Amino acid sequence: MLLRYSILFTALLANLTSFSQTTYPKITGYFGILHPIVTVSKDETNVNFRDYYAVGFPTGINIWKNEKIGFSFEIVPNIKDDVGTSKVTNILFHPGILVALGNGYTFAGRAAFESGGRYGVTPVLNKTIIKNKSCSYFVAVPLPLRFGNDHPATFTAGFQFGIAF
């Protein structure tokens, strides 16, 4: 008798949890603030907050195909303040593939096309730090590699935080 009740309870619980599962494709949006920390090329090393102040505002849409893989499209306007003069220096078009790694971690492999003529790739490691029903907060480490426009190749390490909804 106890076995029947436990089987019935297990089946009921399985049905209840299936109602709360996410349906795919799942679409989410996000906004963040990006601070490049250091940029290195064969000619020089530039440090944000010391040599100048640069900030980006990544805004994007993620389309999750299933719980493990998705597509993301991001646009990032970049602003630079150098010697008291600030301006939008670049707009970055940043499509990519998302891979959920588990425990709140996501890898984004992005192609990069800058309005200033540079191009490249940006691997990003993202971690959700706070998640609730209406939004989540995340931190990320982007590692852009850029080429082109008669400049040497550059590698940048950055820090990003933001909100997803």
Side-chain angles (χ1 to χ4, degrees), residues 33 104-106 124-130 136-142 159-163:
I33 297 173
Y105 287 94
T106 303
V124 182
L125 184 61
N126 183 317
K127 168 72 171 142
T128 299
I129 53 173
I130 300 172
S136 61
Y137 300 90
F138 65 89
V139 295
V141 177
F159 177 76
Q160 177 180 335
F161 58 92
I163 183 169

Side-chain angles (χ1 to χ4, degrees), residues 93-147:
F93 299 94
H94 224 196
I97 298 297
L98 302 171
V99 179
L101 303 174
N103 296 323
Y105 287 94
T106 303
F107 171 78
R110 297 185 178 280
F113 308 96
E114 297 182 355
S115 63
R118 307 268 291 160
Y119 58 91
V121 295
T122 308
V124 182
L125 184 61
N126 183 317
K127 168 72 171 142
T128 299
I129 53 173
I130 300 172
K131 185 173 186 165
N132 56 44
K133 289 185 180 190
S134 61
C135 66
S136 61
Y137 300 90
F138 65 89
V139 295
V141 177
L143 301 169
L145 185 59
R146 299 292 185 266
F147 309 95

Side-chain angles (χ1 to χ4, degrees), residues 36-48 52 118 144-146 152-157:
I37 304 300
V38 62
T39 300
V40 179
S41 74
K42 68 177 178 128
D43 296 338
E44 61 187 340
T45 298
N46 294 309
V47 179
N48 197 9
Y52 52 82
R118 307 268 291 160
L145 185 59
R146 299 292 185 266
T154 58
F155 173 76
T156 302

